[in-house]
Amino acid sequence: MQGQGQKVARSILRNSAALLVVGFISKAMGLVIAILIARFLGPDAVGLFAVLFSLAIVTENIATLGFQTLLIKEVAAHPLRRRSLWRRAAKVTATAGSLVGAGFLLASFLSGENETLRTSLIFIAIGLPVTTLFNAGMAVLQGMERVL
């Protein structure tokens, strides 16, 4: 029984380290992106981008279609099927994220002469599919954490 406890402890540490690394990379990328956005859009447009980004976060949560909670539960119940579950969820969430992103892209073309608004919407449209994939991957890791 002692060996089993050590195996569980190692798995928890490994998954926690993976979540920590992914979270750190995410925060670092967010910092770099914020700097690039401020650089390319200028100080006046950062506020507009912040409002649009908040809207994007809300739509990102809708675009995942509740798969995060479902994935956590399914991976915890069937850990050996985690790869196939992730693939299926990745396809659906990436498609949904792409559709929502296409809506932001369409809005960027309909934004008229406001170049700042157009650029902000394009940035958000590109990031949505990637973010939904990231959320699906995090849910799988959290499901594996529950297994242990």
Side-chain angles (χ1 to χ4, degrees), residues 5 14 16 22 25 27 34 36 41 50 56 58 68 81 87 89 104 130-131 136 142:
R14 186 175 48 243
S16 295
V22 168
I25 291 170
K27 300 296 183 208
L36 290 173
L41 295 180
V58 170
Q68 289 171 287
R81 295 180 44 211
R87 279 189 216 108
F104 277 102
V130 175
T131 306
Q142 290 172 340

Side-chain angles (χ1 to χ4, degrees), residues 11-12 14-16 18-19 22 64 66-91 93 131-148:
S11 295
I12 289 172
R14 186 175 48 243
N15 285 344
S16 295
L19 286 169
V22 168
T64 58
F67 269 97
Q68 289 171 287
T69 306
L70 179 66
L71 269 176
I72 292 170
K73 290 178 181 178
E74 284 299 309
V75 169
H78 310 286
L80 297 177
R81 295 180 44 211
R82 68 183 174 271
R83 285 189 177 91
S84 66
L85 289 169
W86 183 82
R87 279 189 216 108
R88 289 179 191 168
K91 287 178 188 175
T93 57
T131 306
T132 55
L133 282 174
F134 172 78
N135 289 338
M138 288 291 287
V140 170
L141 286 174
Q142 290 172 340
M144 287 305 295
E145 194 76 23
R146 288 204 177 178
V147 168
L148 303 173

Side-chain angles (χ1 to χ4, degrees), residues 33-146:
I33 289 171
I35 291 169
L36 290 173
I37 288 169
R39 172 80 173 120
F40 288 115
L41 295 180
D44 296 335
V46 173
L48 173 64
F49 181 80
V51 169
L52 291 173
F53 190 71
S54 297
L55 178 65
I57 289 174
V58 170
T59 56
E60 162 195 320
N61 289 330
I62 294 168
T64 58
L65 303 171
F67 269 97
Q68 289 171 287
T69 306
L70 179 66
L71 269 176
I72 292 170
K73 290 178 181 178
E74 284 299 309
V75 169
H78 310 286
L80 297 177
R81 295 180 44 211
R82 68 183 174 271
R83 285 189 177 91
S84 66
L85 289 169
W86 183 82
R87 279 189 216 108
R88 289 179 191 168
K91 287 178 188 175
V92 172
T93 57
T95 302
S98 297
L99 290 174
V100 173
F104 277 102
L105 202 57
L106 178 64
S108 74
F109 291 118
L110 300 175
S111 64
E113 297 295 322
N114 192 341
E115 188 64 34
T116 303
L117 179 61
R118 180 179 299 126
T119 307
S120 298
L121 289 170
I122 289 171
F123 275 131
I124 292 168
I126 292 169
L128 272 171
V130 175
T131 306
T132 55
L133 282 174
F134 172 78
N135 289 338
M138 288 291 287
V140 170
L141 286 174
Q142 290 172 340
M144 287 305 295
E145 194 76 23
R146 288 204 177 178

